[in-house]
Amino acid sequence: MTPTLIWILVALVAIGLYLSWTAGRLDRLHARIDATRAGLDAQLLRRASVAQELATSGVLDPAASIVLYEAAHAARQAEEEQREVAESELSQALRAVFGEPAQVEAVRDVPGGEAAAHELTEAVRRVPMARRFHNDAVGAARRLRQHRKVRWFRLAGHAPFPMAFEMDDEPPAALVDRAA
């Protein structure tokens, strides 16, 4: 074998290893997206469940209970295409119902209300973090998938292009103030 042929073979092996490493990295990013999406779904479900439970507890006034229950029910039953809108509407309903500290204090004053308010505060606080983790993973995968080497060699395979989860997740001011 000539030295030139050996160097060509070494270069091809190095390129193959690099492409394999990149494909593995992309696969790990896709697995991370799946894990963060599962975490986000769990936090959204927890928030909707706590809101629905609070709406049916009889602690809130009837109008607030109806608004909160309908928004939480819609968020739990939403199809994937409508999920972002339904979750944003639940955020808006939570801000409308718990916008005033007096409403939060009314919930805390009833038996078991302190635990319910704490659980809602925790659920509302965790949704933005879970969404941020998911969207960070999606951003990293998107940046890697935009590289020429990934597109030319089709290193992403048949994996769908990752989509960020965009929603209104601002928590009610009265719950955030109380938690701080």
Side-chain angles (χ1 to χ4, degrees), residues 4-179:
T4 306
L5 190 58
I6 291 173
W7 282 112
I8 290 173
L9 187 62
V10 167
L12 287 175
V13 168
I15 290 170
L17 287 172
Y18 178 70
L19 291 175
S20 175
W21 175 80
T22 303
R25 180 172 165 222
L26 190 57
D27 185 53
R28 288 188 301 276
L29 282 172
H30 283 210
R32 185 172 141 212
I33 288 170
D34 291 342
T36 59
R37 181 58 190 241
L40 176 61
D41 286 342
Q43 293 306 321
L44 291 172
L45 180 63
R46 179 174 181 232
R47 180 180 78 153
S49 297
V50 170
Q52 203 169 20
E53 183 179 313
L54 197 57
T56 58
S57 68
V59 174
L60 303 173
D61 63 87
S65 292
I66 290 171
V67 167
L68 195 56
Y69 180 83
E70 287 180 354
H73 182 71
R76 289 184 72 175
Q77 300 298 321
E79 296 292 326
E80 192 60 35
E81 302 83 34
Q82 298 298 319
R83 185 93 188 267
E84 294 173 352
V85 174
E87 294 295 344
S88 293
E89 288 173 356
L90 177 56
S91 295
Q92 292 167 0
L94 284 166
R95 281 197 306 273
V97 171
F98 294 106
E100 297 296 320
Q103 187 72 11
V104 177
E105 292 305 321
V107 170
R108 290 182 191 278
D109 290 341
V110 299
E114 185 71 32
H118 177 71
E119 192 173 355
L120 181 63
T121 301
E122 287 299 309
V124 165
R125 186 180 60 82
R126 289 179 179 166
V127 167
M129 287 189 299
R131 189 175 75 84
R132 194 171 312 118
F133 290 150
H134 173 70
N135 287 349
D136 287 348
V138 167
R142 282 181 165 183
R143 284 188 296 278
L144 184 58
R145 285 181 70 153
Q146 288 175 348
H147 290 168
R148 275 187 234 127
K149 65 181 176 267
V150 173
R151 289 191 321 261
W152 287 350
F153 293 103
R154 301 180 190 268
L155 298 181
H158 296 290
F161 194 74
M163 300 302 290
F165 194 87
E166 298 300 331
M167 64 172 270
D168 174 9
D169 60 2
E170 187 175 330
L175 288 176
V176 173
D177 292 341
R178 181 73 176 183

